[in-house]
């Protein structure tokens, strides 16, 4: 499978001690896990993140690589399962985590979260023989998702849904292809990328058409962010400044197009802004890249 192969390539690159780029020694003295380096926890699930030729790749990864270079820091890669990324940030073993992580109010209580790098709508990965796009379509179905995903409690509220939790996206997809489960609710960019790379799976992804206040994480506007240790909020603010500039120039979209994220939906916030008054000011506006930018 493509996803597991991409992770194996990442591991091989790390074990091979791929060359690192050396950046300016004028980096600000942040409180880092290792001085002079930005230690980044990532999952290796494309199109979000990967490691190639001594650099982070993927949509999340390429943006973070550019951020590190602008900060004058050398990227120190820390490949791990999704379930370990947030805990590693909390324990200060890494400086930042990425992996198409969605913003949630609960996560603001344990981490300092960056500005969004793109937006998304959750949905259902399923056989091309079905066209499920509502929460009610999942009633009585066997559904897989990833341990630690924010919307797991909401999935458990769906009537008759039999939920299976997996450590990795590729494990969940394997069971879907084998018919052991009926659907996968995963990171939209990850599953969309996997489907595009593997047409023989005969799978497709449909975003939820529901907009339910009882299921805000499943049906609301998703914001992909980076997570920092709260004691490193100064680092997060510096990163946010760089991200803001990338939005202004539409560099976000230029990077996204390299990984199949070309539609305006990824770069235009459409839905309620849950962050205003939570971890941002009450008058906070979400960034966007205008169509055609």
């Amino acid at each position: 499978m493509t996803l597991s192969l991409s992770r194996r390539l990442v591991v091989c690159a790390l074990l091979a001690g791929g060359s690192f780029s050396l950046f300016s020694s004028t980096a600000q003295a942040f409180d880092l896990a290792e001085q002079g380096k930005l230690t980044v926890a990532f999952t290796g699930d494309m199109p979000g993140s990967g490691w190639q030729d001594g650099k982070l790749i993927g949509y999340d990864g390429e943006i973070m690589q550019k951020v590190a270079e602008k900060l004058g820091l050398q990227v120190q890669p820390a490949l791990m399962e999704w379930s370990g990324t947030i805990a590693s940030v909390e324990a200060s073993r890494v400086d930042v985590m990425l992996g198409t992580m969605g913003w949630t109010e609960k996560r603001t209580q344990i981490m300092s979260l960056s500005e969004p790098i793109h937006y998304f709508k959750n949905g259902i990965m399923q056989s091309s023989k079905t066209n499920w796009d509502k929460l009610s379509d999942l009633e009585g179905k066997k559904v897989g998702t990833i341990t630690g995903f924010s919307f797991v409690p909401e999935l458990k509220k769906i009537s008759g849904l039999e939920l299976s939790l997996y450590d990795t996206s590729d494990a969940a997809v394997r069971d879907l292809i084998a018919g052991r489960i009926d659907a996968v609710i995963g990171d939209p960019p990850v599953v969309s990328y996997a489907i595009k790379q593997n047409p023989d799976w005969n799978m497709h992804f449909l975003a939820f058409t529901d907009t339910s206040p009882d299921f805000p994480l499943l049906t609301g506007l998703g914001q992909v962010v980076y997570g920092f240790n709260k004691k490193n909020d100064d680092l997060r603010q510096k990163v946010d400044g760089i991200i803001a500039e990338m939005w202004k120039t539409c560099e976000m979209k230029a990077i996204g197009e390299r990984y199949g994220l070309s539609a305006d939906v990824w770069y235009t916030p459409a839905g309620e802004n849950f962050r205003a008054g939570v971890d941002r000011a009450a008058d906070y506006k979400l960034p966007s890249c205008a169509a055609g930018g």
Side-chain angles (χ1 to χ4, degrees):
M1 290 177 58
T2 297
L3 287 178
S4 58
L5 175 59
S6 70
R7 288 178 62 82
R8 286 200 298 274
L9 291 174
V10 169
V11 172
C12 289
L14 294 176
L15 292 177
S19 61
F20 292 93
S21 296
L22 296 178
F23 307 119
S24 168
S25 60
T26 61
Q28 181 171 332
F30 299 110
D31 187 6
L32 302 173
E34 186 174 350
Q35 286 306 310
K37 297 181 180 180
L38 186 69
T39 305
V40 182
F42 67 105
T43 63
D45 283 340
M46 291 290 283
S49 64
W51 183 258
Q52 183 177 316
D53 298 329
K55 291 187 177 183
L56 286 167
I57 61 169
Y59 185 75
D60 291 37
E62 189 170 329
I63 293 171
M64 182 55 67
Q65 182 70 41
K66 288 180 177 292
V67 165
E69 292 174 3
K70 290 178 180 180
L71 291 174
L73 294 171
Q74 173 183 328
V75 173
Q76 178 68 34
L79 178 69
M80 60 185 69
E81 304 296 353
W82 166 256
S83 55
T85 56
I86 295 176
S88 293
V89 169
E90 289 184 278
S92 298
R93 290 190 294 270
V94 303
D95 304 308
V96 60
M97 57 79 61
L98 55 84
T100 58
M101 178 179 71
W103 179 94
T104 69
E105 184 172 357
K106 184 177 180 180
R107 285 176 178 150
T108 67
Q109 298 167 9
I110 59 176
M111 290 190 295
S112 183
L113 302 180
S114 75
E115 288 290 278
I117 59 172
H118 72 74
Y119 305 102
F120 68 92
K121 283 277 288 184
N122 282 308
I124 308 170
M125 181 179 180
Q126 59 194 285
S127 166
S128 56
K129 297 178 182 179
T130 58
N131 290 289
W132 302 328
D133 61 3
K134 299 179 179 62
L135 296 173
S136 58
D137 290 329
L138 297 177
E139 293 179 1
K141 304 296 193 306
K142 296 179 180 179
V143 176
T145 193
I146 314 305
T147 300
F149 274 18
S150 58
F151 49 66
V152 168
E154 293 184 6
L155 283 173
K156 291 180 177 178
K157 290 170 25 180
I158 297 175
S159 178
L161 184 148
E162 184 179 329
L163 188 63
S164 296
L165 297 175
Y166 298 86
D167 287 334
T168 63
S169 298
D170 55 301
V173 172
R174 270 200 305 271
D175 273 6
L176 176 60
I177 293 171
R180 289 186 283 269
I181 56 177
D182 302 309
V184 168
I185 313 298
D187 284 322
V190 172
V191 296
S192 297
Y193 180 83
I195 290 168
K196 182 178 180 180
Q197 297 296 311
N198 297 274
D200 56 306
W201 288 354
N202 295 315
M203 298 285 169
H204 66 155
F205 171 85
L206 294 179
F208 287 114
T209 56
D210 307 85
T211 302
S212 171
D214 295 326
F215 297 86
L217 300 179
L218 282 172
T219 67
L221 172 69
Q223 303 177 37
V224 172
V225 296
Y226 299 133
F228 298 82
N229 189 295
K230 279 185 171 290
K231 72 178 184 181
N232 271 347
D233 195 56
D234 56 340
L235 174 60
R236 190 272 305 168
Q237 291 181 47
K238 285 288 186 181
V239 171
D240 277 354
I242 297 170
I243 290 174
E245 289 301 315
M246 295 175 77
W247 275 109
K248 288 178 182 177
T249 62
C250 277
E251 189 174 0
M252 294 300 189
K253 189 170 184 179
I255 293 172
E257 287 175 345
R258 291 198 279 274
Y259 299 99
L261 306 183
S262 56
D264 285 337
V265 67
W266 301 106
Y267 311 103
T268 305
E272 185 177 350
N273 178 10
F274 298 107
R275 301 187 74 168
V278 180
D279 68 336
R280 296 294 188 269
D283 60 352
Y284 169 72
K285 304 294 183 184
L286 289 164
S288 66
C289 178

